[in-house]
């Protein structure tokens, strides 16, 4: 496994792999790797000749009051885990390497960002789309792997790849959870002890909503109310949003039918957690 910190060296390695006819699978991350990242890496390993991961905490996708400076980092541990997963290259550029001067061009996402994290984190998906445009050009993968924990990100990236004609297949990977149901996240280490005990309520409330839907509930507002009540009563977290939309278009629904997402973001003292489930009903 090689760690590469410059764009030029990364491009050389990619050129070499392409000349040899090798396929490239890519996993973008912000590091502080956990089993969620590792499952993306495993899937990439099984489907490609070369696996590249990037570790880059992208300042462009953090708002001015967000947790850029407290975002957890541990490169030595990440390196060890990547080696275990038989990654070929870690692309680990500095902020100066990626953004040496103020950008003359950035990407603006127009669709599917007026809801969920797009609404509560203005500019976030523009930052994600801009960095991925750069990274996709540098790494030129045939396949790129994304977790559905960040379901809106998957929808936005699919739009980016489609609209900008990247010859890349986006592979969505299911959310990996702790045994108590909490979605694995690098940010979980920033939860206080009591908050960590409360955090599984998020997924439990999504499962309660699922049960209600299986029992016949079709009103999205009632589903939201049920989750809101459970999270408010059983956690100290502050609800950022709890919303239900069609998926992947993220349109409002009057009555649940077809494929839809129930998504939430809850702010604890030093960590904002997100989670979602995607369900499907097919009724005439
Ligand atoms: P991040 O480092 O948080 O930017 O995440 C990098 C990639 O890992 C993104 O595609 C995430 O959706 C994915 N990911 C994060 N957490 C999980 C998880 N618990 N299960 C599966 N994928 C995840």
């Amino acid at each position: 496994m090689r760690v590469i910190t410059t764009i030029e060296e990364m491009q050389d390695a990619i050129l070499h792999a392409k000349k040899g006819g090798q396929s490239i699978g890519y996993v973008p991350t912000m590091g502080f790797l956990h089993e969620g990242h590792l499952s993306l890496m495993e899937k990439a390993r099984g489907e490609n000749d070369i696996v590249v991961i990037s570790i880059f905490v992208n300042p462009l996708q953090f708002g001015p009051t967000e947790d850029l400076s407290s975002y957890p980092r541990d490169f030595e541990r990440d390196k060890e885990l990547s080696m275990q997963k038989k990654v070929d290259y870690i692309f680990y550029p500095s902020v100066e390497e990626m953004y040496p001067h103020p950008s003359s061009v950035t990407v603006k996402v127009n669709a599917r960002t007026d809801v969920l994290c797009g609404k509560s984190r203005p500019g976030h998906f523009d930052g994600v789309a801009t960095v991925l445009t750069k990274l996709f050009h540098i790494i030129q993968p045939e396949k790129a792997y994304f977790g559905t924990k960040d379901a809106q990100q998957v929808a936005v990236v699919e739009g980016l790849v489609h609209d900008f004609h990247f010859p890349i297949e986006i592979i969505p990977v299911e959310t990996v959870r702790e045994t108590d149901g909490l979605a694995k996240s690098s940010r979980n280490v920033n939860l206080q002890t009591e908050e960590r005990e409360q955090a599984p309520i998020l997924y439990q409330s999504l499962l309660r909503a699922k049960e209600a839907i299986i029992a016949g509930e079709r009103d999205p507002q009632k589903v939201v109310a049920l989750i809101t009540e459970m999270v408010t009563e059983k956690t100290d977290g502050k609800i950022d949003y709890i919303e239900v939309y069609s998926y992947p278009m993220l349109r409002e629904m009057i009555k649940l039918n077809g494929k839809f997402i129930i998504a939430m973001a809850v702010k604890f003292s030093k960590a904002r957690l997100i989670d979602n489930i995607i369900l499907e009903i097919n009724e005439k």
Side-chain angles (χ1 to χ4, degrees):
M1 188 184 76
R2 249 178 86 194
V3 176
I4 294 185
T5 56
T6 68
I7 294 169
E8 198 181 338
E9 257 183 285
M10 190 71 246
Q11 285 173 319
D12 279 351
I14 296 296
L15 193 67
H16 186 75
K18 297 254 175 204
K19 272 192 186 151
Q22 291 175 301
S23 63
I24 296 169
Y26 172 44
V27 181
T29 84
M30 297 203 298
F32 209 70
L33 303 179
H34 51 67
E35 278 89 348
H37 300 112
L38 302 188
S39 81
L40 270 61
M41 286 150 64
E42 268 169 27
K43 196 153 167 58
R45 184 67 284 169
E47 298 180 350
N48 302 276
D49 299 321
I50 300 281
V51 174
V52 181
I53 76 160
S54 57
I55 296 181
F56 182 60
V57 182
N58 174 34
L60 245 57
Q61 70 193 65
F62 286 77
T65 61
E66 292 179 0
D67 57 350
L68 175 61
S69 60
S70 63
Y71 197 85
R73 298 159 204 246
D74 187 345
F75 184 65
E76 285 310 311
R77 186 171 156 274
D78 290 350
K79 213 161 73 175
E80 186 54 44
L81 290 169
S82 305
M83 213 128 63
Q84 285 171 19
K85 290 294 160 195
K86 301 191 167 49
V87 164
D88 296 289
Y89 295 101
I90 302 183
F91 183 46
Y92 182 51
S94 64
V95 172
E96 294 69 36
E97 179 71 10
M98 288 297 280
Y99 305 115
H101 43 70
S103 311
S104 50
V105 180
T106 57
V107 180
K108 184 173 179 321
V109 183
N110 298 314
R112 307 185 225 191
T113 54
D114 52 342
V115 296
L116 306 172
C117 289
K119 190 171 164 195
S120 63
R121 303 183 70 188
H124 169 68
F125 286 114
D126 295 346
V128 169
T130 299
V131 79
L132 283 176
T133 299
K134 289 166 75 82
L135 290 165
F136 284 165
H137 279 305
I138 297 164
I139 293 160
Q140 300 177 49
E142 278 79 21
K143 293 181 178 171
Y145 297 79
F146 289 85
T148 54
K149 179 170 88 76
D150 300 278
Q152 190 173 20
Q153 174 167 272
V154 174
V156 166
V157 173
E158 277 171 349
L160 172 75
V161 163
H162 179 264
D163 283 17
F164 284 3
H165 316 288
F166 282 105
I168 300 174
E169 187 185 350
I170 300 303
I171 315 278
V173 180
E174 242 180 75
T175 303
V176 177
R177 299 179 180 280
E178 302 286 354
T179 44
D180 61 12
L182 174 64
K184 300 240 182 197
S185 166
S186 307
R187 290 185 165 99
N188 290 349
V189 292
N190 288 338
L191 291 168
Q192 311 293 313
T193 312
E194 213 168 284
E195 294 173 340
R196 174 62 190 83
E197 284 162 14
Q198 297 169 355
I201 298 292
L202 272 57
Y203 185 50
Q204 286 167 25
S205 71
L206 291 171
L207 292 181
R208 266 292 311 283
K210 182 178 173 181
E211 275 171 25
I213 292 164
I214 289 170
E217 184 59 74
R218 294 289 179 270
D219 181 348
Q221 292 315 316
K222 293 224 172 100
V223 170
V224 169
L226 187 156
I227 300 172
T228 305
E229 190 187 323
M230 194 160 161
V231 172
T232 312
E233 269 181 17
K234 298 191 175 177
T235 80
D236 299 321
K238 186 170 165 294
I239 293 169
D240 188 350
Y241 63 75
I242 296 171
E243 292 170 13
V244 180
Y245 293 107
S246 68
Y247 192 84
M249 291 315 289
L250 305 181
R251 299 224 169 94
E252 257 180 59
M253 303 180 88
I254 309 292
K255 181 172 179 260
L256 298 177
N257 200 11
K259 203 169 186 181
F260 58 92
I261 183 168
I262 310 174
M264 65 202 306
V266 176
K267 280 183 181 160
F268 289 91
S269 54
K270 293 201 171 60
R272 176 181 175 280
L273 302 187
I274 60 171
D275 205 348
N276 71 75
I277 53 172
I278 295 172
L279 301 174
E280 192 163 357
I281 301 172
N282 286 307
E283 287 171 348
K284 288 244 161 95

